[in-house]
Structures are given as C-alpha cells and as structure tokens.
Amino acid sequence: MNYLPLPPPGTTPRRVLTIAGSDSGGGAGIEADMRTIALLGVHACVAVTAVTVQNTLGVKGFHEIPDDVVAGQIDAVVTDIGVQAAKTGMLASPRIIDTVASTWRRLGLTVPLVVDPVAASMHGDALMAPAALDSLRGQLFPLATLVTPNLDEVRLLVDIEVTDAESQRAAAKALHARGPRWVLVKGGHLRSSERSCDLLYGPSEGAEFHEFDAERIDTGNDHGGGDTLAAAVACALAHGFTVPDAVGFAKRWVTECLRAAYPLGGGHGPVSPLFRLA
C-alpha cells in the first residue's frame, strides 16, 4: 500500500492530538493511537481522559481524569505545539464530553476532528455513561469533521439496527442529521458477508455515499481496530487529504493491521501496525 510521506530526519512532522483513555493492556485507546500515528510518520500529542484497568480479557474498571486537567492538556498542546488534526476516543461522561467541546470552541480550533464514539469495549464492557450519549450527540457531533461508529454504537446513538446495506444507509443519514460533516458507518461487525464494507456519507461532489470494501480478515485478534482506523484517518487529514481519500487510506491501513495482528494474553490480541517495520 502507499503510505503517508515520512518527514526527513530532524524536521518537524505533522502533529495529531488524540483525546482518549489509556489502555493498561496496550491494545487500544491512546496506546493504539500512538502506535499508528508514529508509524505513519506523525507526531502524537495526547490528552488523557481516563485511565482504564484492563487486559486482553476485558475492562476491570476506569478512573476519569478531572475536567480541568483534560482541558489543560488540550490547551497546553494546541497553544505551544500546534496540531493539524485531532481525534477523540473514550469520553466516558457528559462532564468530559462537555469539557472537550467547550475547550475546542474556546480555542477556536478549525482543524479536522475525528470523533470515534467509544461507548463500549469489544468485550461489551461499558466505557460511557448512558447520559453521555446525549452530550456526545449535542455537543461534540456538531464540531466533528467525521464520526466513526461501529454498528453497536450506531444502535445506541440513533436506535437503528444495521443488518444490511439499506439500514446502513439509513443509519448514516440519521447520524449525519446530528451535525457532523461526514459519517462513517463501519461494517466490520456485520458478519453476514465475507467482505467488510464501511459506508461514508456526507457532502461530496458527484456522490453522497462512498463504499470502502475489503476482505474480511479471519482473526480473533482485533483489539484496537476502531482506534487504529480513526487515528489513521486523522493522520491522513493532517496531511491535507480529503475525507473520502483519508478514509480510503485508513481502511487499507487497518486491513493490513488486522492481517498482522498477534495473540496476546488469554483474550483478544491487538491489531498491529508493526508490519511497517518489516
């Protein structure tokens, strides 16, 4: 696949800010974001929103970071280092979501923002309080360049059960009505096909819908796949890609990360961008 250009040694690379939770097992969250961001030749900045207690078997608990600390991290990075794109991950409560949204508006940020609405872990462990869904839709979606829900998150956000291409399109339209400029309804959890089709919906010359199809990789080691996809999109947007081109790049990237995934611990291992080092 074609990669993003690497910066020459000693020159400052593009910067992407990830606003998300930390995964003590290293498979998802900020740790997954930073692996992809670094291996795509981009400098990763972070604003930690929560510290989780988890491993490959599931999430045992989490601790939210105080809202002034979350806001302070974003402020410190943006006002000194500067970023060309940002992404969100685990935002567990209305307080954290409102803090991120109000800080974004206060700083007058206009860089692309990718919102990955992380509502639950891959094991089904809750990572977002129910009241946070309203804040996510009302506060953060209108700021988003792109939102990237999986099918479980689609059901929570707009109460649509995606079972086929028609319901996937209906879900994309319903999510778009909440305010983001673009919506990517990921089809990886739709196991009725040997292909994995993600559907992008938004304002585009010539077509409202864009389909991104790839072979379905048969692996149980897919922890952090959503984080990896969103991080890759943010990196491509930081390089000036259009949203459809950024999503196409990220889809190819995460497919290769799934192909290179490895077993870890007693549960689900992580998708792996380490193939780029080969």
Side-chain angles (χ1 to χ4, degrees), residues 103-118:
T103 304
W104 190 271
R105 290 191 295 265
R106 175 174 57 79
L107 292 172
L109 290 172
T110 58
V111 299
L113 174 63
V114 179
V115 173
D116 186 12
V118 180

Side-chain angles (χ1 to χ4, degrees), residues 9-101:
T11 63
T12 304
R14 305 295 174 98
R15 282 86 67 202
V16 164
L17 170 64
T18 171
I19 307 167
S22 173
D23 174 359
S24 55
I30 278 177
E31 288 74 16
D33 291 341
M34 292 187 73
R35 277 197 299 276
T36 274
I37 293 169
L39 285 167
L40 289 176
V42 176
H43 179 82
C45 301
V46 304
V48 182
T49 62
V51 176
T52 69
V53 180
Q54 68 174 293
N55 53 26
T56 65
L57 299 173
V59 179
K60 312 303 180 185
F62 64 85
H63 172 73
E64 286 188 36
I65 303 300
D67 53 357
D68 61 324
V69 178
V70 174
Q73 292 174 89
I74 299 170
D75 198 300
V77 166
V78 169
T79 57
D80 173 46
I81 297 170
V83 297
Q84 284 74 51
K87 73 168 289 287
T88 66
M90 179 185 177
L91 306 173
S93 68
R95 176 180 60 81
I96 294 293
I97 294 169
D98 294 347
T99 295
V100 171

